Amino acid sequence: MGDIEEQSSHTPGDWGFETRAVHAGQDPDAASGAVVTPITLSTTFAQDGVGNHKGFEYSRSGNPTRAALEACVASLEQARHGFAFASGLAAEDNVLRVLHQGDRILLGNDAYGGTFRLISKVWEPLGFPWSAVDLTDVDALAADWPADTKMVWLETPTNPLLTCIDIEAIAELAHARGAIVVVDNTFATPYLQQPLTLGADIVVHSATKYLGGHSDVVGGFVALNDDTLADRIRFTQNAAGAIAAPFDCYLVLRGVKTLAVRMERHCANARAVVDLLLGHPAVDRVLYPQLPDHPGHRAAAKQMRDFGGMVSFTLRDGYGRSAEANALEVVRHTEIFTLAESLGAVESLIEHPGQMTHASAAGSPLQVPAALVRLSVGIESAADLVADLAQALDRLR
Ligand SMILES: *Cc1c(COP(=O)(O)O)cnc(C)c1O
């Protein structure tokens, strides 16, 4: 399953991104003419004779709704193969299974907390060494490259500091040293950045975020071109069984149809919010890849279509409080921005990474600043979002 050329006649390579988002892998249903991909709940599929079936036998191994999603998102990532999983972390866990015991993983030092936990608490005890490294400095990395490295795991933009990594430069270095490159493309989405076209070997997603886009489904995705690695992932997807359920696949497919238009609004609203933050006296630093002084602005400008919907900022000490206390005050007092973990959906969210999403990284090289606030800027009216943040910041006085 998951090979786009096998799934559908409806995926010509010359269609634009938006057309593929709506149609790739999603021919009208042959039996009924249904325009929307049906949710196929059947766990088993009839065979005319032993081994003679219509491409599906048992729903863990392959399911028509999942196959549609796999073909669609693979097509958006310019990938030959796509695999849908029960969560982003399930997808990551399956990708790590291409390694052999003793293979080292280099993890960007500003990674999603759950990825850090998976690698350090699940995989390291099984005999997989890893190091947290600064992926922004390619020369330093080349000079200090651990010889047993077999995989570089990078996010760009990173979570939550929104650092951007030059995928092409890292891929060139890693390939010269015999390692593969995995890019977590959750923050950028294939609309803004397509890592496989920049030399990455594997793309992973938390489909829970922008792909789903509506905060109502947990899912994960793996996209890649290499046939041998794809065989391995297809095998572990079935053998370990962390598949995406048919209803979840339907929800992600539905979300992906509007990915392009949502991303455009996320980016435009993020810019409006950044303008407010840059001018506010309570704010210390604004982290957004479009800002020329932002670490990795050059990488972002080179490889992204636009700069995304995530914005982070730090507060200053002042008004009788520490910077961290000011950050905690701001996240409590927004009305439209909901205080919650997660990101990438239509509604705006605000959170304190140090005590929420990145609490598990405390004391590690991936610890985040205590005064940091992260925004997932939604698709509401820009003026309302700006006014909401302004009133929360003004309350600090
Ligand atoms: C949320 C997230 C994940 C994990 O995905 P789940 O769907 O929550 O398992 C991985 N990477 C990034 C960048 C994320 O934001």
Side-chain angles (χ1 to χ4, degrees), residues 54-141:
K54 298 183 167 68
F56 301 98
E57 296 161 89
Y58 180 64
S59 206
R60 165 162 40 72
S61 314
N63 168 280
T65 316
R66 195 172 93 220
L69 174 65
E70 290 176 335
C72 182
V73 177
S75 143
L76 298 183
E77 286 287 5
Q78 312 274 12
R80 287 168 45 76
H81 311 281
F83 302 95
F85 290 92
S87 70
L89 284 171
E92 296 187 12
D93 189 66
N94 272 256
V95 166
L96 290 164
R97 288 165 195 263
V98 307
L99 295 172
H100 301 284
Q101 208 170 48
D103 290 351
R104 179 175 298 273
I105 305 149
L106 294 189
L107 177 64
N109 60 7
D110 178 24
Y112 174 69
T115 303
F116 163 71
R117 185 176 56 199
L118 176 65
I119 290 175
S120 66
K121 301 281 197 308
V122 178
W123 283 83
E124 185 191 329
L126 296 172
F128 294 80
W130 68 283
S131 330
V133 293
D134 178 2
L135 295 170
T136 62
D137 189 342
V138 181
D139 294 338
L141 186 63

Side-chain angles (χ1 to χ4, degrees), residues 127-351:
F128 294 80
W130 68 283
S131 330
V133 293
D134 178 2
L135 295 170
T136 62
D137 189 342
V138 181
D139 294 338
L141 186 63
D144 204 16
W145 181 268
D148 53 351
T149 303
K150 287 292 181 288
M151 179 182 280
V152 179
W153 191 288
L154 74 87
E155 292 174 32
T156 179
T158 62
N159 177 13
L161 300 180
L162 306 174
T163 307
C164 296
I165 309 296
D166 186 333
I167 297 172
E168 228 168 357
I170 295 290
E172 202 176 305
L173 171 63
H175 292 160
R177 306 286 169 99
I180 62 170
V181 174
V182 179
V183 175
D184 182 334
N185 205 28
T186 299
F187 272 39
T189 82
Y191 182 67
L192 298 181
Q193 161 182 291
Q194 292 161 8
L196 299 178
T197 68
L198 299 163
D201 300 281
I202 301 179
V203 164
V204 298
H205 276 281
S206 170
T208 315
K209 316 297 168 50
Y210 288 105
L211 295 183
H214 295 75
S215 298
D216 54 8
V217 58
V218 172
F221 204 86
V222 175
L224 72 169
N225 281 317
D226 184 272
D227 296 337
T228 308
L229 285 175
D231 283 346
R232 188 74 204 146
I233 298 210
R234 180 180 301 105
F235 178 81
T236 59
Q237 183 192 39
N238 182 51
I243 49 159
F247 187 71
D248 294 357
C249 291
Y250 162 80
L251 284 174
V252 177
L253 260 180
R254 180 182 165 120
V256 163
K257 286 178 199 283
T258 57
L259 181 64
V261 288
R262 282 188 286 112
M263 290 315 292
E264 280 181 9
R265 177 60 69 90
H266 284 300
C267 293
N269 282 357
R271 259 187 284 283
V273 162
V274 165
D275 284 344
L276 166 84
L277 295 172
L278 286 173
H280 201 284
V283 173
D284 184 17
R285 283 174 63 208
V286 182
L287 303 175
Y288 188 63
Q290 188 169 17
L291 300 175
D293 65 346
H294 183 75
H297 168 73
R298 286 222 342 251
K302 175 178 151 192
Q303 66 198 15
M304 294 177 76
R305 183 204 295 253
D306 202 342
F307 298 95
M310 300 299 296
V311 177
S312 294
F313 62 100
T314 55
L315 279 295
R316 290 184 198 286
D317 290 326
Y319 319 110
R321 289 181 221 92
S322 69
E324 179 176 20
N326 280 331
L328 292 168
E329 279 294 297
V330 169
V331 302
R332 272 184 27 189
H333 285 120
T334 51
E335 284 164 15
I336 300 173
F337 281 87
T338 302
L339 177 57
E341 302 197 357
S342 200
L343 61 108
V346 291
E347 65 279 341
S348 292
L349 302 179
I350 190 166
E351 69 123 357

